[in-house]
Amino acid sequence: MMALPRASAVLVLFLATLLPPTRRAQDPGMVHYIYQRFQVLEQGLEKCTQATRAYIQDFQEFSKNISAMLGRCQTYTSEYKSAVTNLALRVERAQREIDYLEYLREADVCVESEDKTLAEKLIQEAEEEKKIRTLLNASCDNMLMGIKSLKIVKKTMDTHGSWMKDAVSSSQKVYFLVGSRNKTVWEFANLRAFMEDSTKPAPRKLILTHSWQGTGQVIHRGFLFFHNQGTLNEIIKYNLQKRTVEDRMLLPGGAGRALVYQHSPSTYIDLAVDEHGLWAIHSGPGVYGHLVLTKIEPGTLGVEHSWDTPCRSQDAEASFLLCGVLYVVYSSGGHGPHRITCVYDPLGIVSEDDLPKLFFPRRPRSHSMIHYNPRDKQLYAWNDGNQIIYKLQTKRKQLLE
């Protein structure tokens, strides 16, 4: 029997003792068989042990490699994080630079826009001034220097009203409009007939198709212009010869919303005529607002231009235009002294500093109306039922430039 390894031999002998004696005697090869089987088993165990050792060795190597890779990953992660942080800082810096460049570009655009706006404004102002000078190009360069005399032409019992001649035509007719709301116009042949009611021919009675409002009526080339009663801002052009309404217009700029003069309780729109043509004067927004001056084309009733003046309606009682300059008459509480303390020249030539103190002869009440007639260079006024003519003293504007 071949020699057995010690462990296997011991195991075989142990198993052999487990067999009955009779069986060990009868089958002596059984012990050898058992030995072979255990040898095979032992070899399998040895292989398993070797495989386990190889696995453990591989696992240890794998673990070592993983640890090394994790270390490298941490290094890469730190580098990547640093790179991302640096990139974020660069992006932020670039964004600030872009924002700054955009600000500079917008600033340049704004400067260019402001320069362009200023240039356009200057061009517009130059064109506006040229338009105004063209509009006021009549050969009239006089300015008011004094109100030198007073003549009461007629006395009536009516506190409010207006009277006038045609401001342009050579007609000597005098027109008499009694009251602040009426539609009857009396036409006198001349000033003497107006002064002496008994003088022939008798006055002609004209019944208008519409009533007037206030005392701001004027007559220009045979047409009566007046504020239509019951309307806010309608101006009617009435043909006195045909006795028909020739045309009408709505005066813009908030006209008719407030009294034009504080001491004229019925006049919301005051019309005027001077050497430059037909004008309208009304109050601007607010209580006792500034006066607005509007140039009207009498043929078409189109608005040619409007100006906001510095003259206020507070304490004002009347105004008139002479050579394109607005003169506003003021009084305290509607009583004298009656003085001109605000002057407005659209051309900017005449100012209050250029003028002496301008007073009217003392009258007991405020004027119901004061209108300038450019044909005879006089003021036609109504004060406490008296129809008055004021003679004027003027000088050329150039003398004071």
Side-chain angles (χ1 to χ4, degrees):
M1 186 174 185
M2 61 180 297
L4 298 174
R6 182 177 178 82
S8 299
V10 174
L11 182 60
V12 170
L13 290 176
F14 172 73
L15 292 173
T17 60
L18 296 178
L19 295 173
T22 58
R23 183 63 184 270
R24 290 198 297 267
Q26 294 175 359
D27 194 359
M30 180 61 69
V31 174
H32 180 70
Y33 173 75
I34 292 173
Y35 169 76
Q36 289 180 337
R37 298 296 295 174
F38 271 96
Q39 189 176 23
V40 172
L41 180 61
E42 190 175 45
Q43 291 174 354
L45 289 172
E46 182 66 21
K47 290 180 179 180
C48 182
T49 300
Q50 292 176 356
T52 300
R53 288 175 180 173
Y55 174 76
I56 291 173
Q57 185 176 0
D58 291 341
F59 182 78
Q60 289 176 345
E61 185 70 22
F62 174 75
S63 178
K64 181 179 180 181
N65 293 334
I66 289 297
S67 297
M69 292 176 65
L70 288 175
R72 288 195 299 271
C73 284
Q74 289 179 354
T75 302
Y76 293 153
T77 300
S78 178
E79 293 176 355
Y80 175 74
K81 182 177 180 181
S82 177
V84 170
T85 302
N86 291 334
L87 180 61
L89 292 175
R90 293 178 65 184
V91 169
E92 183 179 358
R93 188 181 304 112
Q95 185 62 47
R96 288 199 302 267
E97 293 177 353
I98 291 173
D99 292 341
Y100 179 68
L101 292 175
E102 183 67 18
Y103 165 76
L104 293 178
R105 189 188 68 82
E106 291 180 355
D108 290 340
V109 171
C110 289
V111 170
E112 291 177 0
S113 178
E114 290 177 358
D115 291 342
K116 182 178 180 181
T117 301
L118 179 60
E120 291 177 350
K121 184 178 180 180
L122 292 175
I123 292 174
Q124 184 177 1
E125 289 178 352
E127 292 177 350
E128 192 75 9
E129 183 178 357
K130 182 179 178 181
K131 177 182 176 182
I132 293 173
R133 291 189 177 278
T134 302
L135 183 64
L136 305 179
N137 63 354
S139 57
C140 177
D141 53 11
N142 291 331
M143 57 188 298
L144 183 63
M145 297 303 295
I147 303 160
K148 67 176 185 178
S149 64
L150 163 68
K151 180 179 181 180
I152 299 177
V153 177
K154 191 180 184 71
K155 294 183 178 181
T156 65
M157 299 300 294
D158 302 289
T159 304
H160 301 288
S162 61
W163 72 291
M164 68 208 74
K165 290 182 179 180
D166 193 315
V168 179
S169 71
S170 59
S171 172
Q172 295 300 313
K173 295 179 180 179
V174 175
Y175 296 90
F176 188 58
L177 294 79
V178 180
S180 58
R181 291 175 176 84
N182 204 339
K183 60 169 58 177
T184 301
V185 178
W186 294 95
E187 180 186 88
F188 293 84
N190 50 47
L191 187 60
R192 178 175 292 277
F194 175 68
M195 295 172 61
E196 303 173 4
D197 291 337
S198 59
T199 303
K200 300 296 183 180
R204 185 170 67 139
K205 184 178 181 180
L206 306 176
I207 305 297
L208 307 180
T209 56
H210 298 74
S211 296
W212 65 74
Q213 164 78 33
T215 58
Q217 306 84 17
V218 294
I219 296 178
H220 184 278
R221 297 189 185 278
F223 294 97
L224 173 67
F225 295 84
F226 62 91
H227 178 197
N228 188 17
Q229 180 188 354
T231 69
L232 183 67
N233 57 345
E234 185 177 59
I235 305 300
I236 287 183
K237 177 181 179 181
Y238 190 85
N239 191 319
L240 293 172
Q241 185 66 31
K242 297 180 180 179
R243 302 190 186 186
T244 58
V245 174
E246 185 79 10
D247 203 352
R248 61 184 73 200
M249 69 172 293
L250 297 178
L251 193 65
R257 298 183 183 276
L259 291 173
V260 62
Y261 312 117
Q262 180 185 1
H263 299 310
S264 185
S266 59
T267 303
Y268 288 81
I269 298 174
D270 191 16
L271 300 173
V273 176
D274 73 345
E275 290 81 359
H276 297 289
L278 180 64
W279 303 80
I281 307 146
H282 63 86
S283 179
V287 179
Y288 304 140
H290 293 274
L291 299 184
V292 177
L293 180 63
T294 300
K295 184 72 173 63
I296 301 174
E297 208 294 310
T300 62
L301 290 188
V303 174
E304 295 182 296
H305 203 280
S306 286
W307 297 266
D308 293 325
T309 78
C311 303
R312 295 183 59 84
S313 64
Q314 184 175 10
D315 290 330
E317 61 179 56
S319 70
F320 59 92
L321 283 111
L322 188 156
C323 288
V325 179
L326 177 68
Y327 299 87
V328 185
V329 184
Y330 293 88
S331 61
S332 177
H335 302 282
H338 313 284
R339 65 201 185 283
I340 295 173
T341 58
C342 188
V343 177
Y344 178 72
D345 182 2
L347 295 177
I349 299 175
V350 179
S351 67
E352 297 171 24
D353 297 334
D354 299 326
L355 304 176
K357 293 182 179 180
L358 298 172
F359 287 90
F360 283 79
R362 185 175 179 85
R363 301 300 305 163
R365 296 181 182 274
S366 62
H367 291 85
S368 174
M369 54 82 66
I370 301 176
H371 284 170
Y372 172 69
N373 188 302
R375 185 160 55 88
D376 55 24
K377 313 298 182 185
Q378 299 181 134
L379 294 179
Y380 289 73
W382 189 302
N383 183 287
D384 195 28
N386 297 306
Q387 290 74 56
I388 305 167
I389 290 179
Y390 292 109
K391 295 187 178 297
L392 304 179
Q393 192 175 19
T394 62
K395 281 189 177 181
R396 294 172 62 87
K397 296 178 183 178
Q398 287 84 347
L399 295 177
L400 296 175
E401 289 180 350

